[in-house]
Amino acid sequence: MYRLLLRRPQVRFKSNYPLVQIEELRTHTLRSGETATIPMRDYYEWETMPDIMKRERFFTARNPSLASTMEDLVLYDPIVTHCIANWLLVDYKLNAYPYYDLNIVNVFTDVQQAVRIVQSMMSYFQSALSRNMFERIKYFIVPLYSDHVMVTEEQLTGIPGDVRLVENAALFPPNGSNMSMDKPFSIEDPVYVLLLNDIIKNLSHDLVEYSDSIHKWSQAFMDIHADGTSTKRFDTDMDFWCSYTLKMTLGQDKNNVGQSKTGIHIPTRLVQLFEMIKLCAPEHKLFAIDIPQRWEPSLWSMIKFLLGGGPAPTSQIAGNNLGRKSAHFISDFTQVQQIYSEVNERGKYCEIQDLSEFVDQWVDLGEVEKYSSATKDRLDAQLETIQCSNLGVLHST
């Protein structure tokens, strides 16, 4: 059962004024002399969320600067959609059928992509399955952040089966710095959580640095001033989520991260997301598609890493300067795999594959052609394009 949860990111003041919502900063309502302080991850969201979760009517074009940095998963429909559907069906029949329904939660930021995929997948399920089996599928479309999306049930018109849009109960509440453990919703039965190419890269990171002079880690904050200017600073007084993510990803040893003049990004929002999924759906399995970091180390770096004496690659930021609206975080999937396992107390594990490898394993072009309107020539061309894809797949085992 889903229930309403309406929260927004908040900032904290050095003064004794009460907390205010980040949205108020857009209207420059700070009083003279006040300074609002927010973690760097919140600053990234303040800058990028209006474009990531744009208030849009259906089929409104996305921001071109964002589109240019993404590999469009819709271009690979119906092949990839059918492969995901086949993976879901096989895993469901092996592990949950006939005791439970096939429950699917698709977390999204891109409305068009989410609706296109559910349309294709549910149409395939309807055509390929018996009526009794098809009626056991429950498909939920859940926004990453609830208060920056404008969609309606009308957008789901014509999609077969039990498809529900959960607009006001986002899986990931937009108040990360003060994220409580209240459940925005709860699914106790087995469920598959899909993060399809528009989630991991859009999760903001904290910025940390290690000081050799004081032998401590510091967290980056942005001071937002009444005149609209902002100042970055580092503080050894780290908040809980930054400290927790730092210990999980880099540890407290400065030698684990090498040298960086601009600091190290750590995936705090990703950790929070996995924690929220664990809380809301303890019996979940994960399926994610995104752009993984492609590590190309020198021979000496590779030898040091294999011998345990060098750093593993950490999350990188793609785009322009820090905090700009074109920024995306390109994650090392090995690190994502490790974080997912740690958050779930090593009770859940994920396999990493290139998208082309996953498709080769699950594709049946004859079946795709049979249950879709695509021609064989088009499918052959699409399959060739997929072989060149930079996307990666991370899914539960």
Side-chain angles (χ1 to χ4, degrees):
M1 177 180 296
Y2 292 87
R3 57 190 176 86
L4 187 68
L5 181 68
L6 293 175
R7 293 187 238 169
R8 291 181 171 83
Q10 292 189 323
V11 300
R12 61 187 187 185
F13 284 86
K14 289 184 176 180
S15 65
N16 293 324
Y17 290 106
L19 295 174
V20 299
Q21 296 173 352
I22 279 183
E23 291 296 327
E24 294 183 45
L25 294 179
R26 297 185 187 281
T27 60
H28 304 291
T29 57
L30 295 183
R31 299 170 185 169
S32 176
E34 292 179 353
T35 301
T37 300
I38 59 178
M40 183 61 76
R41 62 179 182 269
D42 283 349
Y43 180 74
Y44 286 139
E45 286 182 359
W46 178 33
E47 288 287 320
T48 63
M49 196 188 298
D51 285 328
I52 293 173
M53 302 293 290
K54 186 177 181 181
R55 291 184 179 271
E56 59 182 356
R57 292 296 182 183
F58 196 43
F59 293 133
T60 298
R62 293 196 66 154
N63 187 307
S65 65
L66 290 180
S68 64
T69 63
M70 296 182 181
E71 190 173 336
D72 193 350
L73 195 61
V74 172
L75 295 177
Y76 303 146
D77 180 68
I79 288 181
V80 169
T81 304
H82 282 232
C83 290
I84 298 171
N86 286 334
W87 179 86
L88 290 168
L89 279 176
V90 170
D91 194 273
Y92 167 65
K93 290 178 180 179
L94 288 175
N95 297 290
Y97 179 81
Y99 305 104
Y100 300 97
D101 290 335
L102 173 50
N103 300 302
I104 304 169
V105 170
N106 185 174
V107 184
F108 75 90
T109 65
D110 187 336
V111 176
Q112 299 177 42
Q113 175 180 280
V115 174
R116 171 72 176 270
I117 287 174
V118 68
Q119 170 79 59
S120 181
M121 190 175 296
M122 292 301 283
S123 296
Y124 166 65
F125 282 146
Q126 184 184 43
S127 300
L129 300 177
S130 67
R131 178 176 178 181
N132 288 340
M133 178 68 79
F134 180 66
E135 290 177 348
R136 301 198 66 163
I137 300 174
K138 307 294 186 293
Y139 199 117
F140 303 91
I141 306 177
V142 184
L144 184 63
Y145 297 105
S146 61
D147 59 347
H148 281 270
V149 169
M150 185 178 294
V151 288
T152 68
E153 290 288 347
E154 295 177 357
Q155 296 172 15
L156 306 181
T157 301
I159 298 178
D162 189 351
V163 179
R164 309 176 194 181
L165 174 66
V166 187
E167 182 179 0
N168 292 316
L171 183 69
F172 188 63
N175 66 331
S177 294
N178 303 301
M179 191 180 85
S180 72
M181 287 291 100
D182 293 334
K183 296 182 182 181
F185 59 83
S186 177
I187 301 179
E188 299 297 331
D189 290 350
V191 59
Y192 297 89
V193 178
L194 308 183
L195 312 175
L196 300 181
N197 196 32
D198 60 344
I199 300 298
I200 294 178
K201 71 171 66 68
N202 286 323
L203 295 175
S204 63
H205 285 37
D206 269 313
L207 183 64
V208 297
E209 69 174 12
Y210 185 84
S211 171
D212 288 319
S213 60
I214 62 175
H215 305 293
K216 286 185 177 181
W217 285 96
S218 298
Q219 177 182 0
F221 292 85
M222 293 296 290
D223 291 340
I224 313 298
H225 306 290
D227 62 0
T229 61
S230 58
T231 306
K232 182 175 72 175
R233 63 179 176 83
F234 284 89
D235 195 326
T236 56
D237 184 15
M238 305 172 69
D239 63 35
F240 168 79
W241 284 109
C242 181
S243 177
Y244 178 55
T245 304
L246 177 64
K247 292 176 183 178
M248 182 175 293
T249 56
L250 301 181
Q252 293 294 340
D253 185 353
K254 64 171 182 170
N255 294 323
N256 286 347
V257 299
Q259 301 296 322
S260 174
K261 295 181 180 180
T262 58
I264 303 294
H265 282 96
I266 58 174
T268 309
R269 287 287 190 254
L270 178 68
V271 171
Q272 291 178 327
L273 179 61
F274 284 164
E275 289 282 359
M276 187 58 74
I277 292 174
K278 173 187 173 183
L279 179 72
C280 296
E283 297 300 320
H284 77 275
K285 287 195 172 184
L286 184 72
F287 187 98
I289 295 178
D290 217 285
I291 299 178
Q293 178 179 321
R294 303 293 179 176
W295 190 40
E296 298 179 357
S298 65
L299 177 61
W300 176 240
S301 296
M302 185 183 301
I303 293 173
K304 288 180 63 179
F305 174 64
L306 293 176
L307 294 177
T314 56
S315 298
Q316 295 181 342
I317 187 170
N320 295 330
N321 294 329
L322 299 185
R324 303 305 299 173
K325 293 186 178 182
S326 60
H328 293 287
F329 291 91
I330 310 303
S331 295
D332 168 28
F333 266 27
T334 303
Q335 184 184 57
V336 176
Q337 181 186 49
Q338 175 187 350
I339 291 172
Y340 179 75
S341 178
E342 291 291 334
V343 165
N344 289 283
E345 300 169 353
R346 298 188 178 275
K348 295 182 184 295
Y349 299 91
C350 282
E351 178 182 353
I352 299 173
Q353 296 179 290
D354 284 334
L355 181 63
S356 57
E357 180 185 1
F358 173 78
V359 168
D360 287 342
Q361 182 179 351
W362 292 97
V363 70
D364 184 336
L365 286 183
E367 185 181 61
V368 177
E369 186 179 8
K370 178 180 177 182
Y371 294 117
S372 74
S373 59
T375 64
K376 186 179 186 305
D377 288 344
R378 179 194 163 195
L379 294 177
D380 287 340
Q382 189 177 86
L383 189 59
E384 289 185 12
T385 305
I386 291 172
Q387 298 304 312
C388 302
S389 171
N390 287 319
L391 294 174
V393 175
L394 188 145
H395 63 74
S396 294
T397 56

